[in-house]
Amino acid sequence: AEITGVTNSDFIKTALETRLGENEHISLFKFIKSLDKATKELKMNENLPHRYVNVGFSGGEKKRNEILQMKLLEPKFAILDEIDSGLDVDSVKTVAKNVVEYKKENPNTSILIITHLPKLLEYLKPDFVHILKDGKIQKTGDINLALEIEKDGYTGINAMIGNE
């Protein structure tokens, strides 16, 4: 969603401080340092944190901004819905690299990634791949399941699970 009047940096800092409690504040220097580091790692325009949340952002900027928020807010559970949408090949690699690095640095965080493109999963190396249909898991496997879908399409998977 677009939030006119609230910059990305103010949004993230406020969210961090809300989690800490009303009597605690984050060091501005530490916050700016971590924000700048994450912005560079995501190869984002350095003025993006000072723009209003999602206002006038391209699709790729919105996706990078989601990963920026994840990196700084450090959730225990993250749902990343089609983070490859609207990204060129280089941007997909950058976003995937940042998600992989985040997971390594935060091994107790669970990440659910929703995608229709197996190529993203090749970069992310997920622990599990689930095929959902009508809100139910129809099949579970590893990255090979996604590669199988890329090769044979969903028709092959449907035949395998008894759905024609």
Side-chain angles (χ1 to χ4, degrees):
E2 294 183 355
I3 308 174
T4 303
V6 179
T7 65
N8 278 305
S9 57
D10 285 343
F11 175 78
I12 294 169
K13 187 172 184 292
T14 300
L16 285 168
E17 288 184 340
T18 299
R19 188 182 323 159
L20 290 174
E22 63 184 66
N23 294 329
E24 301 213 23
H25 295 283
I26 295 169
S27 156
L28 186 57
F29 176 75
K30 182 180 174 185
F31 174 72
I32 291 171
K33 190 174 174 181
S34 62
L35 181 65
D36 287 347
K37 179 179 182 275
T39 300
K40 284 182 180 116
E41 290 171 349
L42 284 161
K43 299 179 182 175
M44 297 171 84
N45 185 316
E46 61 187 34
N47 78 345
L48 193 128
H50 310 292
R51 291 170 51 193
Y52 296 145
V53 177
N54 290 333
V55 175
F57 283 25
S58 69
E61 287 174 325
K62 287 179 182 178
K63 295 302 177 180
R64 288 176 193 250
N65 196 41
E66 288 176 30
I67 304 305
L68 176 70
Q69 291 172 15
M70 180 184 75
K71 289 175 67 121
L72 294 173
L73 295 174
E74 298 180 348
K76 296 288 183 209
F77 180 70
I79 299 174
L80 303 177
D81 189 8
E82 298 195 26
I83 58 171
D84 48 357
S85 175
L87 297 179
D88 62 33
V89 174
D90 292 332
S91 296
V92 169
K93 288 179 183 177
T94 298
V95 165
K97 178 183 175 196
N98 276 270
V99 172
V100 168
E101 287 173 2
Y102 176 81
K103 182 64 177 150
K104 283 181 186 172
E105 293 168 7
N106 299 276
N108 293 326
T109 297
S110 296
I111 302 174
L112 173 65
I113 298 167
I114 302 163
T115 185
H116 293 95
L117 299 176
K119 191 69 176 172
L120 176 66
L121 300 178
E122 288 180 39
Y123 299 134
L124 293 173
K125 308 278 191 259
D127 297 324
F128 301 99
V129 172
H130 303 289
I131 306 299
L132 295 171
K133 184 175 180 182
D134 298 325
K136 294 184 177 141
I137 296 176
Q138 300 293 319
K139 187 160 180 65
T140 296
D142 59 16
I143 186 68
N144 293 315
L145 178 58
L147 298 176
E148 201 175 311
I149 292 169
E150 187 173 44
K151 181 179 162 236
D152 300 331
Y154 285 101
T155 305
I157 295 296
N158 282 335
M160 201 182 307
I161 60 177
N163 294 327
E164 297 297 328

